[in-house]
Amino acid sequence: MKEALVEQLKQEIRYEFSREGPPEGFPKFPDIPAGRYRSQEFFDLEMKHFWPTVWLYATREEELPEPGFYQVWDHLGIQVILVRGEDLAIHAFENASVDGSPIFDVPDDSDLFHWKEFDSAGNNLQFQQEFPRRKLPEGVFRSHEGHLYDFTTGKFVGDKAGIPEEKHRIRELRCETWDGWVFINQDPDAEPLLDWLHPLPEQMSMFQGATLRMIDKRWTIIPCNWKVTVEAFQEVYHFKHIHQKAGVSGLDQRGATMGVLPNGHSRMITPLSKRAAEMTGMDHQLDWRTDLDRQAFGALHDGMAEIKTVNGMTRCTSTAFSAFPNLVTPVSATGMPFLLAWPLDVGTTRFEWITFCVDWGDGPSPASSEVWRNRLDGFDVVMEEDTRNMAPMQKSLNSPGLTGMPVSYQERRIWNCAEQLDRMIGPERIPEDLRVPQLLAPYVER
């Protein structure tokens, strides 16, 4: 992240602390129609016209180290085989024949997951810290029809006599990478991944993504629309009510600054509270010296490799980036989780958080160390606090008496996502009472 942007963000935080209302001329948002969160019609539009056209996180490059190594991606009603090809690139093939039936049976990974009680209501999460790397048997799988397919190329293997042309090749999806993170897209005409993500790759380059590695993966099921889950991480008002101890929050939501970025992406920087800043050794809330978090949290970070290029702003604030549509990452100098919301139906979401840290090489995973166990368990507490409110929010949205959800200036990241969603579905396809007007273009950072 360039120093000029860091200084700009500091000025924005000063402004946020000083303002007494929205900036002059900023548009007043109408309520977001509640039907966007409960209507089967709107959900069907998303599934047909939106999800098949957007870049989605799939895996890490190092999980597919050599030709023939593969993984299964299983979301949104399709199943995709991610495989390292003979050309050393990673490819994504849909695991489906022409009639939609799977070409091969997915291995059962249930023994790799561990159950954990997630909240006081007894809801569970699953977590995984072992990630076996599988290799195709000679790169070939036999379909249920008895045909052979080479998944490193997606091509039919064997005598094609009598085999319909459409069965000579498996459907391949777009598959591209950003700093070791692999994304897929069903749309062959989608813009390149790095163009789509701009400016996140540049602003997040300090985290040295190519040097990171997956250490942990956790997920749970939440009875709410997927947008409720994503939007819960797009505002700061809940911090002082949910993430507080004895009535004290470590963050000061009054100074939070929101970056509205192209394609629905966004950024949020929230300063520490005065008390937390003092305890950290900061002279004031905008004292962003790079050595401060090491002084304050050195003992807690013992045994955690650090990304040395992370700047002082990130070390001395709560910093988070969002990649539209369903990825949020609160970042730090020791790594970050990817928070991902996957729709199961109009009112149910699979919520994942996948943690990345500095690659530890050939030794045992640091996930078994006390410091990492404490870190991961501590983050579970934060996730429980966040997700606890999502089911009640969905109940409110389902109420016939609620026609819309108010959104304020400080929640403009939520509005940014809603605008982008409509653009990708196509406003002309959306019933008028479910659309949102396009208002944020003058405020998008280019």
Side-chain angles (χ1 to χ4, degrees):
M1 182 177 285
K2 296 178 180 177
E3 282 302 315
L5 178 55
V6 172
E7 186 56 34
Q8 173 191 318
L9 295 171
K10 191 174 288 189
Q11 294 300 330
E12 289 178 6
I13 290 174
R14 289 192 180 100
Y15 167 75
E16 292 296 331
F17 274 128
S18 68
R19 71 180 177 86
E20 297 180 350
E24 185 177 352
F26 192 85
K28 178 174 173 54
F29 298 129
D31 293 353
I32 295 180
R36 295 168 70 93
Y37 303 88
R38 66 192 186 203
S39 160
Q40 185 66 45
E41 180 182 16
F42 193 80
F43 181 80
D44 291 344
L45 287 172
E46 291 176 335
M47 297 303 293
K48 182 177 181 179
H49 298 289
F50 167 63
W51 289 104
T53 66
V54 71
W55 285 104
L56 300 166
Y57 174 72
T59 189
R60 285 283 305 180
E61 280 192 303
E62 65 272 7
E63 296 302 309
L64 306 170
E66 299 172 8
F69 278 83
Y70 76 96
Q71 282 187 339
V72 178
W73 183 92
D74 198 353
H75 295 292
L76 304 173
I78 67 169
Q79 198 172 80
V80 177
I81 309 301
L82 299 156
V83 62
R84 178 80 70 172
E86 294 296 338
D87 57 359
L88 301 184
I90 295 177
H91 298 270
F93 297 105
E94 185 177 4
N95 181 27
S97 58
V98 174
D99 63 6
S101 60
I103 292 174
F104 80 97
D105 294 320
V106 175
D108 181 9
D109 283 343
S110 57
D111 59 316
L112 301 176
F113 286 92
H114 308 279
W115 285 94
K116 176 180 178 180
E117 188 172 286
F118 186 44
D119 59 28
S120 57
N123 295 321
N124 291 319
L125 65 79
Q126 289 196 61
F127 67 95
Q128 181 184 8
Q129 294 174 340
E130 302 169 66
F131 304 99
R133 294 171 176 175
R134 293 191 177 89
K135 193 170 186 178
L136 301 175
E138 299 180 354
V140 172
F141 274 120
R142 185 180 300 275
S143 75
H144 294 297
E145 299 169 316
H147 307 318
L148 293 179
Y149 290 90
D150 181 349
F151 264 84
T152 63
T153 63
K155 294 180 179 178
F156 176 86
V157 178
D159 184 6
K160 294 184 174 63
I163 306 298
E165 179 69 29
E166 65 269 16
K167 294 190 177 184
H168 288 183
R169 190 173 183 90
I170 310 166
R171 183 168 82 107
E172 184 170 4
L173 282 60
R174 292 277 298 280
C175 185
E176 298 178 18
T177 62
W178 157 46
D179 275 2
W181 291 296
V182 180
F183 287 71
I184 61 174
N185 194 320
Q186 297 182 59
D187 182 2
D189 299 318
E191 66 179 313
L193 173 65
L194 295 182
D195 292 345
W196 162 260
L197 289 172
H198 175 78
L200 295 181
E202 187 277 325
Q203 294 187 13
M204 292 183 63
S205 62
M206 61 179 155
F207 299 102
Q208 304 293 313
T211 69
L212 304 183
R213 181 173 172 183
M214 178 170 59
I215 187 175
D216 184 270
K217 181 176 183 178
R218 305 189 178 206
W219 62 270
T220 190
I221 303 296
I222 309 173
C224 70
N225 185 271
W226 70 274
K227 295 185 291 297
V228 170
T229 301
V230 173
E231 291 169 7
F233 300 98
Q234 304 275 27
E235 49 80 18
V236 292
Y237 294 133
H238 72 280
F239 282 8
K240 67 184 247 182
H241 302 290
I242 295 176
H243 305 307
Q244 52 85 18
K245 300 293 181 284
V248 177
S249 173
L251 300 175
D252 193 335
Q253 82 283 352
R254 298 172 306 148
T257 180
M258 312 296 170
V260 178
L261 306 177
N263 296 330
H265 312 315
S266 62
R267 176 192 63 239
M268 180 167 68
I269 315 295
T270 308
L272 299 184
S273 66
K274 287 184 179 179
R275 179 175 176 179
E278 290 171 0
M279 293 175 63
T280 307
M282 298 166 66
D283 292 339
H284 50 81
Q285 289 167 286
L286 297 179
D287 178 16
W288 294 346
R289 286 176 281 139
T290 57
D291 60 339
L292 285 173
D293 78 324
R294 276 173 281 187
Q295 291 175 10
F297 306 112
L300 294 176
H301 288 177
D302 240 8
M304 286 188 179
E306 186 180 89
I307 308 168
K308 298 187 183 302
T309 48
V310 171
N311 64 17
M313 181 199 73
T314 302
R315 297 170 184 271
C316 301
T317 63
S318 170
T319 297
F321 297 89
S322 294
F324 184 81
N326 67 333
L327 191 163
V328 180
T329 178
V331 293
S332 78
T334 53
M336 74 281 286
F338 275 10
L339 316 182
L340 296 152
W342 301 104
L344 299 180
D345 58 43
V346 66
T348 313
T349 297
R350 174 180 166 124
F351 178 50
E352 298 182 322
W353 52 105
I354 306 171
T355 303
F356 307 100
C357 66
V358 176
D359 193 339
W360 58 87
D362 296 328
S365 168
S368 58
S369 68
E370 183 179 4
V371 65
W372 266 106
R373 282 201 309 272
N374 290 339
R375 164 67 70 85
L376 295 168
D377 290 344
F379 196 67
D380 283 349
V381 172
V382 177
M383 292 295 94
E384 191 279 324
E385 292 171 347
D386 276 316
T387 59
R388 183 193 311 159
N389 292 313
M390 294 177 186
M393 284 191 284
Q394 185 65 46
K395 285 184 178 180
S396 297
L397 289 162
N398 288 343
S399 169
L402 183 69
T403 58
M405 183 180 72
V407 181
S408 72
Y409 160 72
Q410 198 68 328
E411 295 165 311
R412 56 196 180 278
R413 296 170 75 207
I414 294 175
W415 191 270
N416 189 36
C417 289
E419 284 192 14
Q420 180 66 25
L421 180 57
D422 282 15
R423 287 194 293 269
M424 296 190 73
I425 292 175
E428 71 284 354
R429 296 189 177 101
I430 302 172
E432 189 173 355
D433 63 334
L434 295 179
R435 295 178 209 156
V436 298
Q438 303 286 315
L439 302 173
L440 280 178
Y443 303 92
V444 174
E445 296 180 21
R446 300 295 176 183

